[in-house]
């Protein structure tokens, strides 16, 4: 599950499936299908943590979901990043750069929206804790976040 990590990737933020993540207070920036298809096919679905940056902006902590979303019975694979930061505006069409660092848990079905939201809040707390570890903080400063677009696709 972890052998692809850390995984560096960047791509355009596109409109998602209108699940109303934002209404839940947890907006997720969706990558384009092209970016999703470039992921290793054997990367485990589930919830991950790492660092993210929009355009040339600051690098923030993030949680990311990869895969089928059982709660919404999705028919498409998705890679969605919730950046742990409050943005003034949406950033559809911008380039999102991420490094995926660690795995939190597999995807799950939830009995209620409340259960889903509280699981995500726990994921966010776990991401915040993990990313403060020195070895992970280091990746925040990685050149990947400062180099011109397209120079590095990922580190493998
Ligand atoms: P969609 O279904 O289009 O992905 P969401 O409800 O998941 O809609 O909202 C995602 C959008 O919200 C992102 O594409 C981005 O433009 C915006 N956004 C604002 N703040 C954040 C954030 N902290 N993390 C991720 N996306 C954010
Ligand atoms: Mg989304």
């Amino acid at each position: 599950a972890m052998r692809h990590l850390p995984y560096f990737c960047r791509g355009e933020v596109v409109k998602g499936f209108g699940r109303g993540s934002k209404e839940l207070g947890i907006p997720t920036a969706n990558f384009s299908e092209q970016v999703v298809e470039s992921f290793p096919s054997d990367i485990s679905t589930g919830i991950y943590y790492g660092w993210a940056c929009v355009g040339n902006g600051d690098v923030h902590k993030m949680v990311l979901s990869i895969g089928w979303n059982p709660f919404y019975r999705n028919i498409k694979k998705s890679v969605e990043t919730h950046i742990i930061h409050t943005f003034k505006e949406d950033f559809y069409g911008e380039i999102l750069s991420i490094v995926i660092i660690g795995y939190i848990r597999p995807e799950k079905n939830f009995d209620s929206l409340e259960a889903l939201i509280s699981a995500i809040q726990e994921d966010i707390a776990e991401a915040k804790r993990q990313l403060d570890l020195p070895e992970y903080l280091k990746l925040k400063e990685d050149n990947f976040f400062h180099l011109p677009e397209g120079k590095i696709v990922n580190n493998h």
Side-chain angles (χ1 to χ4, degrees), residues 2 5-7 48-51 99-103 131 136 139:
M2 309 291 284
L5 308 184
Y7 187 79
Y48 294 78
Y49 58 85
W51 297 104
V99 55
I100 307 170
I101 297 175
Y103 186 74
L131 291 163
Y136 299 151
L139 283 162

Side-chain angles (χ1 to χ4, degrees), residues 43-108:
I43 198 166
S44 301
T45 60
I47 311 300
Y48 294 78
Y49 58 85
W51 297 104
C53 148
V54 177
N56 297 317
D58 294 336
V59 182
H60 301 287
K61 293 174 178 178
M62 62 80 159
V63 289
L64 173 119
S65 109
I66 298 179
W68 318 96
N69 191 312
F71 187 81
Y72 291 95
R73 299 199 154 69
N74 239 9
I75 52 158
K76 280 204 164 201
K77 209 171 184 184
S78 67
V79 177
E80 307 186 21
T81 304
H82 171 68
I83 303 173
I84 306 173
H85 176 77
T86 304
F87 289 86
K88 292 203 186 83
E89 289 176 338
D90 287 351
F91 45 84
Y92 290 111
E94 298 222 39
I95 299 298
L96 174 66
S97 299
I98 64 168
V99 55
I100 307 170
I101 297 175
Y103 186 74
I104 300 178
R105 62 170 174 86
E107 290 184 288
K108 269 185 270 184

Side-chain angles (χ1 to χ4, degrees), residues 14-22 26-31 79-81 92:
V14 301
K15 269 268 171 204
F17 314 110
R19 291 171 181 157
S21 312
K22 202 178 290 168
I26 313 152
T28 61
N30 294 51
F31 273 128
V79 177
E80 307 186 21
T81 304
Y92 290 111

